[in-house]
Amino acid sequence: MMTPECFLRLRHLYDREHLSVLQISRILDINLKTAAKWVRHERFPTVCRRERPSKLDRHKGVIAQMLTVQNLTAIQILQRLRSQGYTGGYSILKDYVSRIRPPRKPAFLTVAYAPGECAQVDWGCAGVLPVGTTKRRLSFLVVVLCYSRRMYVEFTLAEKTEHFLGALQRALLYFGAVPQSVMVDNMKTAVLRHPPGMPPVFHPRFLEFARHYGFMPKACGVRQPQAKGRVENGVGYIKKNFLNGLAFSNLAAINAAAHEWLGTVANVRIHRETGEKPAERFGKERSSLLPLNPNLFDTGVMQPIRASRQFRITVDTNRYSIPYEYAGQRLNLKLTDDHLWLYAGQKLLADHVRSYDRRRDFENPDHVRELLQQRQGAAYHKLLQRFLCLWPGAEEFYRQMDARHLNPKHHVRQIMALTEIYPSESVVQALQDAAQLGAYRSEYVANILAMRQRPATEPGPLHVTRRQDLLDIHLPLPDLSIYEKHINKENMK
């Protein structure tokens, strides 16, 4: 049923965060059709119903007394009301009894834990976090030591096996010791299945992790969250105290803030149940904890994967390059929460930083450089074959260019470009002329072709000047006033 609080969260995720209906249904843990229905409502409807007269009205006091004193069933109440003149039906009586019957809350025993006996682990959800061009679900793993209530929290962008084991290992490093047992919820990264009344089947990687650090794995009963009440309370405390009003910028920033909050708030407050600070109570518990294995556990997860013909592998819609010669082959992928490696057997082919953006392509230039060189070499080889086929002396021309320490590739490309502008016969003739002159360069060949293409101009008539004509030339007399001014200035000095 939709509540006003849930409706306000739904409108915020839809209007402000611009999430899809599917994302909203997952975050709020509601049905997809319910989410699709309520995003069409701008306001939460309020219905004022007028109470209609009922045949139960004069019997309601008696019904309430029967429920509180004798705790009768609806059938028993109906039998007694018939004798008192009740003429109504059973359905309205049953609905009324179900509404006013005092709620029956189950009673749970408070489980006491000895120092170092157990730690409880569970996931929580903190909404979404922008990553690049997309948004990711923001989760956090909470680990609580049951005796001291000392807490660890780490935020992640997924809840897969590599994220679970990595965060749990960093929790043990934070405590500096290991509890004797670790109780988890029935998450698939830790418990594969847990039939009712049967022992749980743990995930093989979680069992390896437990053997490495020496603790006993435990799983709470199916649909029994009260069995891990300490960590459930821890999840709620983080949402109300740390996350309430916090603006997210990136994963590194929120984890740094969470680490600071653990040391200054969460683990130094007076705990409501114990009346002590978790940090001080941890001092009493530390001697009962198991020593921490100095060797870190490899939290990576191996899985087979096939590379594409574009020498790429795909992880979470992101593509990562491998050496081109392994295109299309089956490889082994090793994933951690922040890195990935590609292997062919025992040989490491590539390693990349893991991205949580979507539809990005990450290419290592070393993976494609040799292929580009091969492609360029093949193209030049074809061009050289065309050059050598131009005329019989082309091979000697190429040898002379190489002997003079020129760049034969450059000159061959320039000469073959000339064949696109001039007829092949003209280019061959220019090559022969350049060879006779000992000019083994493409610039000389281009200059010869340009000179031959330039049209020849006809000479104009020759005018011969005769001596007597020079005697008829009249020149104007020079202006000597400027010299006089200069002489006067010199005299005045």
Side-chain angles (χ1 to χ4, degrees):
M1 184 178 69
M2 181 61 65
T3 62
E5 294 80 6
C6 186
F7 177 76
L8 291 176
R9 290 188 63 196
L10 181 143
R11 296 307 311 178
H12 175 77
L13 295 174
Y14 186 76
D15 297 333
R16 301 293 182 87
E17 301 292 340
H18 305 290
L19 301 185
S20 66
V21 175
L22 179 60
Q23 291 173 320
I24 293 174
S25 67
R26 290 176 176 174
I27 293 173
L28 299 182
D29 195 20
I30 60 177
N31 186 272
L32 180 62
K33 293 183 179 180
T34 303
K37 169 188 172 182
W38 285 98
V39 295
R40 295 193 293 267
H41 290 73
E42 294 294 332
R43 296 182 179 180
F44 189 77
T46 56
V47 180
C48 297
R49 296 181 179 179
R50 180 181 296 177
E51 292 288 340
R52 295 185 299 174
S54 172
K55 295 180 180 181
L56 285 174
D57 289 342
R58 68 187 187 93
H59 301 284
K60 287 182 178 179
V62 178
I63 295 173
Q65 184 179 6
M66 292 180 182
L67 290 175
T68 55
V69 177
Q70 298 173 298
N71 195 22
L72 301 179
T73 64
I75 290 292
Q76 292 173 324
I77 294 174
L78 178 63
Q79 294 170 354
R80 285 164 174 74
L81 291 182
R82 291 294 189 197
S83 62
Q84 299 179 16
Y86 172 67
T87 59
Y90 172 69
S91 297
I92 60 172
L93 174 62
K94 180 181 178 183
D95 293 340
Y96 180 71
V97 168
S98 64
R99 291 200 306 269
I100 70 169
R101 184 186 293 277
R104 298 179 179 178
K105 295 184 178 180
F108 302 113
L109 294 174
T110 301
V111 181
Y113 290 95
E117 180 181 355
C118 184
Q120 295 179 358
V121 182
D122 198 8
W123 285 104
C125 178
V128 295
L129 184 71
V131 179
T133 59
T134 188
K135 293 182 178 180
R136 289 279 189 176
R137 172 189 170 103
L138 183 63
S139 303
F140 57 94
L141 187 76
V142 186
V143 184
V144 177
L145 296 176
C146 295
Y147 175 78
S148 64
R149 305 305 206 279
R150 194 181 185 197
M151 178 191 303
Y152 176 81
V153 60
E154 180 175 323
F155 289 80
T156 67
L157 296 176
E159 298 180 8
K160 297 182 178 180
T161 302
E162 58 269 23
H163 301 87
F164 169 64
L165 295 180
L168 184 55
Q169 179 167 249
R170 286 184 283 273
L172 299 180
L173 294 174
Y174 177 78
F175 296 139
V178 181
Q180 298 173 19
S181 63
V182 173
M183 178 180 290
V184 297
D185 197 357
N186 289 279
M187 57 187 79
K188 292 301 181 182
T189 54
V191 182
L192 297 181
R193 58 185 179 275
H194 194 174
M198 301 291 290
V201 179
F202 289 104
H203 194 288
R205 291 291 289 160
F206 182 52
L207 288 177
E208 294 176 9
F209 184 88
R211 284 194 293 268
H212 180 83
Y213 285 106
F215 64 82
M216 177 66 68
K218 292 184 178 181
C220 65
V222 180
R223 299 183 183 90
Q224 295 180 7
Q226 72 279 358
K228 51 180 179 59
R230 285 166 171 76
V231 73
E232 290 281 344
N233 293 335
V235 171
Y237 175 66
I238 291 169
K239 290 182 177 180
K240 294 176 183 177
N241 190 288
F242 176 68
L243 293 174
N244 191 20
L246 181 67
F248 306 139
S249 56
N250 56 70
L251 187 64
I254 192 172
N255 271 321
H259 189 80
E260 178 71 16
W261 175 79
L262 288 173
T264 58
V265 178
N267 290 327
V268 295
R269 76 192 193 280
I270 302 298
H271 197 276
R272 183 180 58 184
E273 296 293 331
T274 64
E276 300 180 54
K277 296 180 180 180
E280 295 177 356
R281 195 172 172 90
F282 176 76
K284 306 174 186 177
E285 184 181 27
R286 187 177 184 87
S287 60
S288 301
L289 294 170
L290 302 176
L292 184 66
N293 191 331
N295 300 317
L296 293 179
F297 180 77
D298 185 1
T299 60
V301 176
M302 298 291 295
Q303 62 186 56
I305 194 169
R306 182 178 291 277
S308 68
R309 300 301 299 175
Q310 290 77 32
F311 48 95
R312 296 289 195 276
I313 60 101
T314 303
V315 178
D316 292 338
T317 74
N318 293 313
R319 297 182 299 167
Y320 302 89
S321 68
I322 60 171
Y324 73 95
E325 59 266 26
Y326 293 92
Q329 297 188 20
R330 290 190 66 84
L331 307 172
N332 292 320
L333 170 66
K334 181 180 179 181
L335 277 172
T336 63
D337 54 356
D338 60 353
H339 218 85
L340 59 90
W341 295 267
L342 276 304
Y343 294 88
Q346 299 297 323
K347 181 180 179 181
L348 177 63
L349 302 180
D351 63 281
H352 295 273
V353 175
R354 186 171 182 175
S355 172
Y356 289 92
D357 203 347
R358 287 189 172 93
R359 295 175 179 84
R360 295 282 306 278
D361 185 82
F362 300 94
E363 181 181 83
N364 187 336
D366 294 336
H367 295 162
V368 71
R369 182 177 292 112
E370 186 177 348
L371 179 61
L372 291 175
Q373 292 175 353
Q374 290 182 4
R375 296 290 173 84
Q376 293 173 358
Y380 174 73
H381 181 72
K382 293 181 180 179
L383 190 69
L384 180 60
Q385 292 296 325
R386 290 174 52 199
F387 172 76
L388 296 178
C389 293
L390 283 176
W391 63 298
E395 185 175 355
E396 179 60 27
F397 195 95
Y398 183 87
R399 190 178 295 110
Q400 290 296 331
M401 285 192 298
D402 189 41
R404 285 167 170 74
H405 301 288
L406 303 176
N407 186 353
K409 292 184 178 180
H410 168 75
H411 293 286
V412 168
R413 291 192 180 98
Q414 295 297 321
I415 292 171
M416 294 309 298
L418 293 173
T419 61
E420 303 294 332
I421 304 174
Y422 301 100
S424 298
E425 297 80 7
S426 300
V427 176
V428 170
Q429 184 62 45
L431 286 170
Q432 293 174 349
D433 294 344
Q436 290 180 359
L437 296 172
Y440 297 96
R441 299 177 67 91
S442 58
E443 293 85 351
Y444 292 118
V445 177
N447 188 39
I448 293 173
L449 288 169
M451 292 294 294
R452 288 180 177 172
Q453 290 292 322
R454 188 178 303 166
T457 57
E458 295 183 359
L462 180 64
H463 298 278
V464 180
T465 304
R466 294 174 298 176
R467 183 176 297 178
Q468 57 269 26
D469 294 336
L470 298 176
L471 298 177
D472 296 334
I473 297 176
H474 297 280
L475 298 176
L477 295 175
D479 184 10
L480 302 178
S481 60
I482 56 174
Y483 298 104
E484 294 177 355
K485 293 179 181 179
H486 182 70
I487 292 173
N488 293 333
K489 289 182 180 180
E490 293 292 332
N491 293 334
M492 290 176 64
K493 291 179 179 181

